[in-house]
Amino acid sequence: METSKNLNSYGAKSELKVGNKSYTYFSLKAPGLGDTTRLPYSLKVLLENLLRHENGTTVSKSDIQFIADLGSKKMSEEKEIAYHPARVLMQDFTGVPAVVDLAAMRGAMKAMGGDPQKINPLVPVDLVIDHSVMVDKYGEQSSFKENVDLEYDRNFERYAFLRWGQKAFNNFRVVPPGTGICHQVNVEYLAQTVWVNNGVAYPDTCVGTDSHTTMVNGLAVLGWGVGGIEAEAAMLSQPVSMLVPEVVGFKLIGKMKEGTTATDIVLTVTQMLRKKGVVGKFVEFFGPGLDNLTLADRSTIANMAPEYGATCGFFPIDQETVNYLAFTGRDPDRVALVEAYAKAQGMWREKNAPDPIFADTLELDISTVGSTMAGPKRPQDKVVLADAKENYNKFLNEMVKEGVDKKVPVSGADFHMQHGHVVLAAITSCTNTSNPSVLVGAGLLARKAVAKGLTSKPWVKTSLAPGSQVVTEYLAKAGLDKDLDKIGFNLVGYGCTTCIGNSGPLKDNITKACEDGKLNVAAVISGNRNFEGRVHPLVQANYLASPMLVVAYALAGSMHVDITKDAIGFDQAGKPVYLKDIWPTNEEIATTINQCLTSEMFKSRYAQVFLGDKAWQAIPVKEGATYEWNDKSTYVKNPPYFVNMQKTPAAIKDIKNAKVLGLFGDSITTDHISPAGNIKKDSPAGKYLMANGVQAADFNSYGARRGNHEAMMRGTFANIRLKNEMMGGVEGGITKYLPTGETMSIYDASMKYIADGTDLVVIGGKEYGTGSSRDWAGKGTMLLGIKAVITESFERIHRSNLIGMGVVPMQFMNGMTRQTLKLTGEETFSITGIAQGLKPKGELSVEMTRKDGSKEQFKVLCRIDTLDELNYYKDGGILHYVLRNLTK
């Protein structure tokens, strides 16, 4: 929004008339800015943001000029800016702890004698409940209703809390359960491409508490995932402190060949950009290939920006953007404004315009892309479909040294289980489950399979979890829902399911066979994440694929089937059926979409999107500006961050005689750090819940308990696949408590160290903190008493979240690593330069004492990158900084 203090140094404030309406806007063609024609479109959005918020302090004229100059030259130095997103998007897993923190801040404000009503979102916030539905029931007509009933039963406390928040806070809307995935609801309804506030028009921008917020980049909305901690600050009108990013241009040419999907393209793009290295950078798509991509295809590609490592994957405004806004029922005046505004600002993509000036570029001819998967552990590990069998066999031989062909009997069944059996086939996640081309494609493939008498193999757990209610409406209109049902892909819920670990249990006899036989089994999902331990605890090999290939692998039932040439089943006459026999043509898919997808579907489905079903409306709502915490609750608890908080922060200290809580290798993800998925009975979190009267059947998931710090801190660093190098290769969240040499859970060890008054550090390798924007990866780290994390490199969001919770991220320098230092984890570290002279990207001195008493000195780079981050750290964290400022 426009600020009252705007200096308007460039005279950029202008008027724009669209039809009979007039808007104020800040023109990028203002004199003095220079020629911004060839500025990347994503940077034009940042430039406008600075122009509109110029106040001489957080946003200066030099900040504005720095970006404007990039329209004629490449960046030669770093520049920190204060960016003000227009709005915040949250999902319930990350949103509940954010609202918990806001409620706690209101209590703290009251305790310090301030006005609790000052703690209120100052920009629009939308929370979409989409992460709580689990696939308990599947393969039946009743699956959806049964899963929703279970969801409400498990999450009643959380939902009652969110209903309170909806009433207590201004500028805060909640989209109830059973509506869709937040990113798809954002693309189909919430996003406007151009925002209007008090008569001022400006680009729609957002930050979200889920890393796949980037999906909205397909609609030319600049948005990306931040931690819940940063999102809370943005809600309270704190700017997002960031370095002006380099923009890598990704040129797309050609168009999809027969049989290729948007999923194939995005998995190819992900591999290319991971190889290129775009962490911390913007990626912007350009070139004639954009003319051959639908809005849904663009959103599919933008969605996986976290997987290719970029901050965003931006597509500029063009005719396709405007057509989509109109088709999905946006107000006609808004649609007209988007086109007029984009053209007035030079933000409209013209086919023959000169290419923007990018820091670097790469190119993909879409027509060269064929059927593709990614796996078995990382989304950037592209596998050409014809190589999938070989890829899995190589993985199997690495994991299993003998008995690779063994058969394990299944109780009560007439089949055996083997290594490589696909036990999960899920059409899931935001990436694909609302792209009509791949969903209609999956439906048509199912129809052809049914006609041939095929069905899913009996050991495969099948599920359909669309990103929006519109999906089931167009599938039903085409009659494809019945075909999907016949092979087991019944509707299980609207929301993130298998992709985030909410896959639910396998059948008891399948589980027993997998466990008894120690089988290496597989999942094929249309998701964006396949990190180990994420999808299901029994599944080691996880492959990402289009919804059509998900259906195909459910029919084949095994990764040992080469579905490009082996039969995937047999028809009624016993003749082999091949994938080519049931794969729909591009023309069949396009014709079906034209017949079954209508604009009216979007208008009717979103007409009362915030109302919710009868179950939602029946939840009682507590009144009051401050929340009445229930001490007995195991879902929502008052966090300890603000206990005895003073108006003035304590001085920051050096780290002395710190012990190592964990010594980790490369690619430690936020899934490894943050609690996610199922809660094990014998885990610290499981023991805590049972001690508080919760039976194992009612544990729910870590995600559902994110509003309870007691459960979450016990699940931090508790991933079953985590490898602490102090433990000689043993997997799981365990460590060595150094004073006695005992092996224990990381949580138990940390509590003993805290009781001893001992500082703690964590050591890691490259790409520490990759994956979802999990605020609990930062919160849990802090609550375990960890003062610093020292690694070779960090993923952007997690580094920021550590600072937001008062933990210093540090980076090895000059080629030094835990390996070159020959660390065992039994060293002691003292780090100076924090209490005195701490500055962004400054050097800190480390004195390391080995077990034998020998000492070694070296330098590390402080990865507090900006002055704003430094201020947050000095205050004890970003929330403390905001709260203290609001009390002044």
Side-chain angles (χ1 to χ4, degrees):
M1 65 188 74
E2 182 189 0
T3 62
S4 58
K5 295 180 181 178
N6 186 273
L7 297 179
N8 195 28
S9 297
Y10 289 90
K13 199 171 182 179
S14 308
E15 293 298 313
L16 177 66
K17 288 193 174 180
V18 186
N20 59 1
K21 292 193 173 185
S22 185
Y23 305 89
T24 299
Y25 79 109
F26 286 78
S27 174
L28 301 186
K29 298 176 181 177
L33 280 177
D35 186 2
T36 60
T37 306
R38 295 188 65 194
L39 191 65
Y41 293 95
S42 52
L43 290 186
K44 288 180 181 180
V45 176
L46 287 186
L47 177 59
E48 187 282 339
N49 198 278
L50 296 182
L51 279 172
R52 188 163 30 93
H53 288 94
E54 185 196 1
N55 57 12
T57 52
T58 56
V59 180
S60 68
K61 189 174 180 180
S62 64
D63 297 336
I64 294 167
Q65 197 62 55
F66 181 88
I67 294 184
D69 289 346
L70 297 177
S72 57
K73 65 179 183 181
K74 291 186 179 182
M75 197 186 313
S76 58
E77 59 181 325
E78 289 186 340
K79 179 71 172 178
E80 177 192 353
I81 59 168
Y83 164 65
H84 294 76
R87 58 192 177 91
V88 175
L89 177 72
M90 298 195 290
Q91 38 92 332
D92 55 308
F93 270 18
T94 47
V96 165
V99 181
V100 164
D101 290 350
L102 288 178
M105 288 174 78
R106 278 196 168 183
M109 178 69 88
K110 188 176 179 181
M112 288 193 289
D115 178 6
Q117 293 282 11
K118 279 187 176 181
I119 307 296
N120 225 8
L122 299 174
V123 300
V125 179
D126 289 299
L127 185 149
V128 182
I129 299 176
D130 66 349
H131 272 52
S132 296
V133 61
M134 298 182 75
V135 188
D136 288 280
K137 308 296 181 181
Y138 72 99
E140 303 288 344
Q141 289 296 326
S142 60
S143 297
F144 172 64
K145 183 182 185 307
E146 290 184 68
N147 286 331
V148 169
D149 288 347
L150 282 165
E151 178 187 352
Y152 272 104
D153 186 50
R154 288 174 177 143
N155 297 287
F156 183 83
E157 267 190 71
R158 299 168 67 242
Y159 291 174
F161 175 68
L162 289 175
R163 291 267 286 166
W164 166 80
Q166 196 174 21
K167 289 200 74 168
F169 295 111
N170 298 329
N171 255 347
F172 179 64
R173 302 186 297 187
V174 176
V175 176
T179 306
I181 296 175
C182 61
H183 312 303
Q184 191 61 30
V185 174
N186 198 11
V187 170
E188 290 182 354
Y189 178 74
L190 300 172
Q192 300 296 318
T193 304
V194 173
W195 207 252
V196 177
N197 191 1
N198 294 326
V200 181
Y202 49 95
D204 184 4
T205 55
C206 73
V207 290
T209 57
D210 188 282
S211 51
H212 296 104
T213 300
T214 56
M215 184 167 181
V216 80
N217 299 165
L219 199 59
V221 175
L222 187 61
W224 57 83
V226 295
I229 304 151
E230 286 178 292
E232 290 164 49
M235 281 190 267
L236 296 165
S237 79
Q238 290 296 303
V240 174
S241 176
M242 61 183 288
L243 296 170
V244 176
E246 289 188 347
V247 183
V248 175
F250 198 118
K251 188 171 187 177
L252 295 172
I253 61 172
K255 63 179 181 178
M256 282 187 253
K257 66 183 178 184
E258 187 65 42
T260 302
T261 68
T263 316
D264 303 321
I265 293 173
V266 72
L267 294 178
T268 302
V269 165
T270 298
Q271 183 197 44
M272 291 174 67
L273 284 168
R274 266 292 168 187
K275 187 177 179 182
K276 183 81 171 174
V278 291
V279 172
K281 300 177 183 179
F282 283 9
V283 168
E284 183 168 303
F285 294 91
F286 72 108
L290 270 61
D291 297 325
N292 302 318
L293 294 175
T294 66
L295 201 290
D297 293 339
R298 296 176 186 189
S299 292
T300 295
I301 295 168
N303 178 284
M304 286 187 72
E307 280 69 46
Y308 43 82
T311 302
C312 66
F314 192 77
F315 287 82
I317 301 169
D318 61 10
Q319 194 61 49
E320 174 65 14
T321 319
V322 172
N323 292 348
Y324 182 84
L325 290 169
F327 187 75
T328 49
R330 265 66 167 205
D331 185 274
D333 286 346
R334 182 61 56 96
V335 177
L337 171 62
V338 170
E339 182 166 352
Y341 180 88
K343 288 179 174 175
Q345 287 283 51
M347 291 181 176
W348 183 269
R349 183 180 74 89
E350 301 282 1
K351 290 186 180 181
N352 298 316
D355 294 338
I357 295 174
F358 295 113
D360 201 354
T361 59
L362 64 170
E363 181 177 308
L364 173 65
D365 182 348
I366 298 171
S367 67
T368 63
V369 177
S371 291
T372 299
M373 300 172 75
K377 285 187 178 183
R378 300 189 306 175
Q380 65 263 38
D381 292 339
K382 174 185 168 181
V383 183
V384 175
L385 183 60
D387 297 336
K389 177 181 176 180
E390 181 185 347
N391 173 275
Y392 173 74
N393 282 331
K394 182 182 176 185
F395 173 69
L396 178 64
N397 288 325
E398 289 171 357
M399 302 294 289
V400 178
K401 300 305 179 187
E402 56 184 38
V404 292
D405 297 322
K406 70 178 171 183
K407 295 182 178 181
V408 179
V410 179
S411 175
D414 60 357
F415 58 85
H416 288 76
M417 292 288 294
Q418 291 182 272
H419 292 301
H421 270 188
V422 175
V423 296
L424 284 172
I427 300 176
T428 177
S429 103
C430 44
T431 313
N432 297 291
T433 57
S434 298
N435 188 327
S437 64
V438 290
L439 282 163
V440 165
L444 289 171
L445 192 144
R447 175 171 290 175
K448 291 168 183 275
V450 168
K452 296 276 190 184
L454 303 184
T455 190
S456 299
K457 294 295 187 286
W459 55 81
V460 183
K461 181 172 184 175
T462 47
S463 58
L464 168 65
S468 134
Q469 293 179 353
V470 175
V471 175
T472 39
E473 192 162 345
Y474 65 68
L475 287 176
K477 186 172 181 184
L480 296 172
D481 57 333
K482 294 181 175 61
D483 298 300
L484 286 162
D485 288 352
K486 284 174 184 173
I487 58 170
F489 285 91
N490 301 76
L491 175 69
V492 295
Y494 298 96
C496 297
T497 53
T498 305
C499 189
I500 58 160
N502 284 2
S503 49
L506 301 176
K507 287 180 178 177
D508 289 345
N509 58 350
I510 302 295
T511 297
K512 190 172 188 309
C514 290
E515 289 178 338
D516 290 351
K518 296 181 179 176
L519 293 178
N520 185 296
V521 290
V524 180
I525 66 172
S526 67
N528 44 44
R529 292 274 161 84
N530 56 345
F531 301 130
E532 57 184 338
R534 178 187 180 95
V535 172
H536 192 283
L538 290 177
V539 180
Q540 291 90 353
N542 297 285
Y543 287 91
L544 307 180
S546 70
M548 294 140 87
L549 288 177
V550 169
V551 174
Y553 272 101
L555 300 172
S558 174
M559 292 306 301
H560 291 305
V561 178
D562 180 350
I563 65 172
T564 63
K565 59 185 180 184
D566 298 341
I568 60 172
F570 296 88
D571 66 14
Q572 298 93 329
K575 292 182 179 178
V577 178
Y578 298 93
L579 185 60
K580 61 183 175 59
D581 299 331
I582 58 172
W583 192 271
T585 65
N586 290 359
E587 185 179 354
E588 286 176 299
I589 294 169
T591 300
T592 306
I593 291 172
N594 290 336
Q595 291 171 349
C596 73
L597 181 60
T598 68
S599 182
E600 187 55 41
M601 290 176 180
F602 293 94
K603 295 173 186 174
S604 63
R605 287 293 176 179
Y606 286 107
Q608 294 183 305
V609 69
F610 302 106
L611 189 62
D613 59 15
K614 289 179 181 177
W616 177 257
Q617 293 171 43
I619 296 173
V621 184
K622 291 184 177 180
E623 302 288 340
T626 55
Y627 188 68
E628 294 178 23
W629 302 98
N630 177 2
D631 290 340
K632 294 181 180 178
S633 173
T634 57
Y635 275 101
V636 177
K637 293 188 83 69
N638 191 0
Y641 314 132
F642 310 112
V643 174
N644 300 322
M645 180 174 160
Q646 304 299 308
K647 289 186 178 180
T648 303
I652 56 175
K653 299 177 180 177
D654 288 336
I655 296 169
K656 294 184 178 178
N657 301 318
K659 299 295 185 184
V660 179
L661 190 61
L663 178 66
F664 304 116
D666 295 341
S667 299
I668 292 297
T669 70
T670 48
D671 281 0
H672 287 116
I673 305 165
S674 176
N678 299 324
I679 300 173
K680 283 182 162 279
K681 194 174 178 180
D682 60 352
S683 68
K687 291 173 183 175
Y688 159 79
L689 291 172
M690 285 190 291
N692 282 272
V694 181
Q695 299 303 309
D698 299 319
F699 278 1
N700 210 330
S701 67
Y702 278 114
R705 294 196 180 269
R706 275 187 170 180
N708 179 356
H709 63 277
E710 295 285 3
M712 296 300 284
M713 64 192 285
R714 285 167 170 79
T716 303
F717 291 109
N719 188 294
I720 57 172
R721 302 291 178 217
L722 183 68
K723 290 181 182 176
N724 183 353
E725 293 177 356
M726 296 168 70
M727 306 310 298
V730 178
E731 290 186 335
I734 56 173
T735 193
K736 188 183 290 184
Y737 176 61
L738 296 171
T740 63
E742 294 173 82
T743 293
M744 60 184 69
S745 73
I746 284 177
Y747 168 78
D748 288 335
S750 81
M751 292 301 103
K752 289 177 87 66
Y753 281 125
I754 288 172
D756 298 342
T758 303
D759 286 347
L760 295 170
V761 295
V762 160
I763 311 288
K766 298 183 183 73
E767 295 183 341
Y768 185 88
T770 59
S772 301
S773 54
R774 297 195 187 279
D775 56 337
W776 266 106
K779 289 178 177 177
T781 298
M782 182 275 286
L783 289 173
L784 293 182
I786 297 161
K787 305 298 182 187
V789 178
I790 311 172
T791 73
E792 292 174 58
S793 63
F794 289 92
E795 192 83 350
R796 176 184 62 86
I797 299 173
H798 184 58
R799 182 196 64 79
S800 174
N801 278 349
L802 288 173
I803 298 163
M805 292 311 299
V807 179
V808 194
M810 304 177 188
Q811 202 161 302
F812 290 117
M813 298 172 63
N814 306 319
M816 188 177 288
T817 70
R818 72 193 189 289
Q819 291 161 326
T820 63
L821 286 168
K822 298 180 180 177
L823 299 184
T824 65
E826 299 194 30
E827 299 80 10
T828 300
F829 294 87
S830 291
I831 305 168
T832 55
I834 298 173
Q836 298 292 328
L838 185 65
K839 60 182 181 181
K841 291 200 168 180
E843 292 184 5
L844 301 171
S845 298
V846 181
E847 181 181 80
M848 177 178 68
T849 305
R850 297 192 186 273
K851 189 178 181 181
D852 63 7
S854 63
K855 296 183 183 295
E856 200 167 327
Q857 309 270 351
F858 59 91
K859 300 280 190 182
V860 292
L861 183 69
C862 172
R863 284 304 312 275
I864 295 175
D865 287 358
T866 68
L867 287 171
D868 277 346
E869 289 179 346
L870 182 57
N871 287 332
Y872 298 152
Y873 177 70
K874 286 181 175 178
D875 249 279
I878 195 168
L879 301 181
H880 301 79
Y881 175 84
V882 171
L883 188 54
R884 286 193 177 100
N885 279 340
L886 288 170
T887 60
K888 292 174 185 176

